[in-house]
Amino acid sequence: MSEIRILNPDTLGKPLGQYSQITRVKASEFLFIAGQVATDKTGNPVGLDDFSRQCEQVFANIEAALASQAATFANVVEFTTYLVHSQDIPQFMQFRRREFPRFFPSGKYPPNTLLIVDRLVQEPFLIEVQTVAAL
Amino acid sequence: MSEIRILNPDTLGKPLGQYSQITRVKASEFLFIAGQVATDKTGNPVGLDDFSRQCEQVFANIEAALASQAATFANVVEFTTYLVHSQDIPQFMQFRRREFPRFFPSGKYPPNTLLIVDRLVQEPFLIEVQTVAAL
Amino acid sequence: MSEIRILNPDTLGKPLGQYSQITRVKASEFLFIAGQVATDKTGNPVGLDDFSRQCEQVFANIEAALASQAATFANVVEFTTYLVHSQDIPQFMQFRRREFPRFFPSGKYPPNTLLIVDRLVQEPFLIEVQTVAAL
């Protein structure tokens, strides 16, 4: 059983969104989840041109990946988020403000690194999130 | 000795290539390998303008890094792959279809996150792969 | 207490900068530090249009994050560095040549993966560094 502490030391700046600066984790078992994009169970893209819908699907996929190993968002130690359009950053912030309190009822949001890249594996995908979790 | 399980839960979409959705790993010793590009032993670029040759060199370098610690591709728990040109995605898919069955005779391909970025450390490099492994 | 070995096996090319090819780490406790950008303690950007100043602030933030958990740069097992402009690569190399001997008095520089991406979370940020450490 892991011991996960999500921390915002006051020697560091206030996080610029719904994330924390540090996870300190004592664990002997980890999950590495491939970057999730907005695909349904058949592997087809969903939410074409709909960034908010893609966010929902991506986090639903991460939740399913965690659940398959009897884990929840509380097990997440790190996210890395890749967006294709910097114009979507405000919507991503909004999505987290709206949904993260439900995903993370403790109010402890894991560290996230947000990057704007050229493209993801297929043209329609607007967001991809890579996850590390501890069991 | 680590216990590595590579998993594709059926609650998640079929992977979009030669990778799996999740690694579940119980381990107390890990390798973090710097992103590998197509350099030879003297640090010089190889495979100029030859994406397929660069793929070979990158995975040869990863294999050498693993071998230096008495590990093999079976120890890999996560790849992150960065390409410079989205036009190379089909060739990357092809490379994996061709070579991964040899690298991973178990047929268990580790999670991978594929990203298209602007550039790598030097102009000629077309692909870089970052690796985490468990011993 | 972790056991961290930073390695450059001679079967791999010479690193292309102030980093090493492999970390081998035996540990049961890890830190995942969110990508650090050049913010001060109030979360405001510092070093506008000044890449070198931003580098200093980013590594000061990482040092503060480590220090908050009684760790130092000697605990780092992996960096991933994102720059917005490839033109800044020479300055980044120069910054590391100048500062890393002080940050890493052992001369053992952790693996780094250097990527050029489109943009970071806010327009003024020119560099972001993600860190994993072992306690």
Side-chain angles (χ1 to χ4, degrees):
Chain A
M1 191 58 191
S2 65
E3 195 183 298
I4 297 176
R5 274 174 291 169
I6 306 258
L7 306 156
N8 278 312
D10 55 16
T11 47
L12 276 178
K14 194 167 67 75
L16 307 172
Q18 309 309 105
Y19 68 90
S20 302
Q21 296 284 18
I22 304 175
T23 297
R24 179 174 183 152
V25 55
K26 195 175 274 184
S28 62
E29 196 162 13
F30 288 90
L31 299 180
F32 292 87
I33 303 174
Q36 293 296 308
V37 288
T39 46
D40 62 18
K41 284 189 201 176
T42 59
N44 290 319
V46 302
L48 296 185
D49 299 321
D50 184 344
F51 180 78
S52 177
R53 177 69 191 88
Q54 292 204 12
C55 287
E56 282 168 25
Q57 188 64 38
V58 162
F59 282 92
N61 287 350
I62 294 169
E63 196 167 25
L66 292 164
S68 77
Q69 304 308 308
T72 70
F73 282 118
N75 295 89
V76 173
V77 299
E78 182 179 59
F79 288 129
T80 308
T81 302
Y82 306 93
L83 305 187
V84 173
H85 302 305
S86 60
Q87 295 84 340
D88 290 332
I89 295 178
Q91 272 199 76
F92 176 60
M93 298 292 194
Q94 207 181 331
F95 173 82
R96 293 194 296 183
R97 275 194 302 272
R98 195 178 66 227
E99 301 297 338
F100 271 27
R102 191 166 59 82
F103 295 163
F104 301 92
S106 70
K108 298 281 191 181
Y109 306 132
N112 180 51
T113 299
L114 175 62
L115 302 158
I116 315 301
V117 297
D118 270 16
R119 224 196 76 158
L120 302 173
V121 60
Q122 292 175 14
E123 194 69 40
F125 296 128
L126 304 172
I127 175 170
E128 176 154 1
V129 181
Q130 206 176 6
T131 306
V132 183
L135 295 179
Chain B
M1 192 56 190
S2 65
E3 195 184 297
I4 297 175
R5 273 173 291 170
I6 306 256
L7 305 157
N8 278 313
D10 55 16
T11 47
L12 277 178
K14 197 167 63 76
L16 307 173
Q18 307 310 102
Y19 68 89
S20 302
Q21 297 284 18
I22 304 175
T23 297
R24 179 174 182 151
V25 55
K26 196 175 273 183
S28 62
E29 196 161 13
F30 288 89
L31 300 180
F32 292 86
I33 303 175
Q36 293 297 308
V37 287
T39 46
D40 63 18
K41 285 188 200 177
T42 59
N44 290 320
V46 302
L48 295 185
D49 299 319
D50 183 345
F51 180 78
S52 178
R53 177 71 191 87
Q54 292 205 13
C55 287
E56 282 166 25
Q57 188 64 39
V58 161
F59 282 92
N61 287 350
I62 294 169
E63 196 167 25
L66 292 165
S68 77
Q69 305 308 307
T72 69
F73 282 118
N75 294 89
V76 173
V77 300
E78 182 179 59
F79 287 130
T80 308
T81 302
Y82 306 93
L83 304 187
V84 173
H85 302 304
S86 60
Q87 295 85 341
D88 290 332
I89 295 178
Q91 271 199 77
F92 177 59
M93 298 292 194
Q94 209 181 331
F95 173 82
R96 292 194 297 183
R97 274 194 302 271
R98 193 178 68 229
E99 301 297 339
F100 271 27
R102 192 165 59 82
F103 295 164
F104 301 92
S106 70
K108 299 280 190 182
Y109 306 133
N112 180 51
T113 299
L114 175 62
L115 302 158
I116 315 303
V117 297
D118 270 16
R119 224 196 75 157
L120 302 174
V121 60
Q122 290 175 16
E123 194 69 39
F125 296 128
L126 304 172
I127 175 171
E128 176 153 4
V129 181
Q130 205 176 7
T131 305
V132 182
L135 297 179
Chain C
M1 191 59 189
S2 65
E3 197 184 296
I4 298 175
R5 276 174 289 169
I6 306 258
L7 306 157
N8 278 313
D10 56 16
T11 47
L12 275 179
K14 196 166 64 76
L16 307 173
Q18 308 308 104
Y19 68 90
S20 303
Q21 296 285 18
I22 303 175
T23 297
R24 179 175 182 151
V25 54
K26 196 175 272 184
S28 62
E29 196 162 12
F30 288 90
L31 299 180
F32 292 88
I33 304 175
Q36 293 296 308
V37 287
T39 46
D40 62 19
K41 285 189 202 176
T42 59
N44 291 319
V46 302
L48 296 186
D49 298 320
D50 183 344
F51 181 78
S52 178
R53 177 69 192 88
Q54 292 204 12
C55 287
E56 283 167 25
Q57 187 65 39
V58 161
F59 282 92
N61 286 350
I62 294 169
E63 196 168 25
L66 292 164
S68 76
Q69 305 307 308
T72 71
F73 282 118
N75 295 90
V76 172
V77 299
E78 182 179 58
F79 287 130
T80 308
T81 302
Y82 306 93
L83 305 187
V84 173
H85 302 305
S86 60
Q87 295 85 340
D88 290 332
I89 295 177
Q91 272 200 77
F92 177 59
M93 299 292 194
Q94 207 181 331
F95 173 82
R96 292 194 297 184
R97 275 195 302 272
R98 193 177 70 227
E99 301 297 338
F100 270 27
R102 191 165 59 82
F103 296 162
F104 300 93
S106 69
K108 299 280 191 183
Y109 306 134
N112 180 51
T113 299
L114 175 62
L115 303 158
I116 315 301
V117 297
D118 270 16
R119 224 196 77 158
L120 302 173
V121 59
Q122 291 175 17
E123 194 67 40
F125 296 128
L126 303 171
I127 175 170
E128 175 153 3
V129 181
Q130 206 176 7
T131 306
V132 182
L135 296 180

